[in-house]
Structure formats: structure tokens, C-alpha cells
Amino acid sequence: MNFAKYFVLGLFLTSQAHAYLSIAESGELLAPGKYQVGVEPQLLTNKGNGANFNVFFDTALSDSSSARISMGAGAVDFNTFASVKWIPIPDVDNQPAMGLVPARALPVMKMKI
């Protein structure tokens, strides 16, 4: 229990962010067999301003989970990202949905021409 408490405190008390990715997800899931494609513009306002432009692809895995693959480019070079959204407790009446969104930045090979 102490480890978890100090780990969470450490996450919120660090002096700077070490990533440019922000996830704002809802508890909504796609119906099985459906997919969606979208765009995510991103403005960077620290250390030499800039912008990124990402595209994403979402698909349903089951009634309670979906997956997302995102890739983009801009001020932070080329980036790729994958996540799985698992919502075991759906949004019903006045109860908010609850779940997890584990995510991982995918390795990118830099090529010199």
C-alpha cells in the first residue's frame, strides 16, 4: 500500500512532463464490428512552440473494450501510439462509466537519407 501511495504522489509531484501525449477519453465504446477514423491537432506551448497533427483508427474488440492506433508528425517528429480501452462498468442512468485505458508509445525508427 505504501508503494502505491508514493508512486501516485511521485507522478503528480514531478517538476515537468516527459511526454507530449494527452488522452481525453470518454466511457463510450464502439459497437462490435464498427470502427472510426479521426484527426487530433495538438498545439505545444512550452520549449519552442509548435504543433503536431495525428490521425487515429478505433475499432471495437468486444462489448466492453476497444482499441486505438494513432500516428502523427509535426514539431515532435513522427510518433505512433496504441491503446486499449476497457470499460467493465458502463454509463447507466446517473452512474458514470468506469474503466482503464492502458497505452503505449510504439518505437519509431529514425531514417537518414
Side-chain angles (χ1 to χ4, degrees), residues 30-42:
L30 294 171
K34 300 289 183 180
Y35 66 91
Q36 71 180 16
V37 176
V39 296
E40 299 173 324
Q42 183 181 41

Side-chain angles (χ1 to χ4, degrees), residues 22-87:
S22 172
I23 300 173
E25 287 280 347
S26 70
E28 292 184 27
L29 293 169
L30 294 171
K34 300 289 183 180
Y35 66 91
Q36 71 180 16
V37 176
V39 296
E40 299 173 324
Q42 183 181 41
L43 296 175
L44 308 174
T45 58
N46 65 339
K47 294 185 181 179
N49 303 329
N52 289 335
F53 187 77
N54 299 324
V55 295
F56 66 85
F57 175 79
D58 285 344
T59 187
L61 298 176
S62 71
D63 288 339
S64 63
S65 64
S66 66
R68 171 176 285 191
I69 295 178
S70 176
M71 64 179 65
V76 221
D77 297 328
F78 181 76
N79 62 78
T80 56
F81 167 79
S83 68
V84 174
K85 182 179 3 177
W86 177 57
I87 309 292

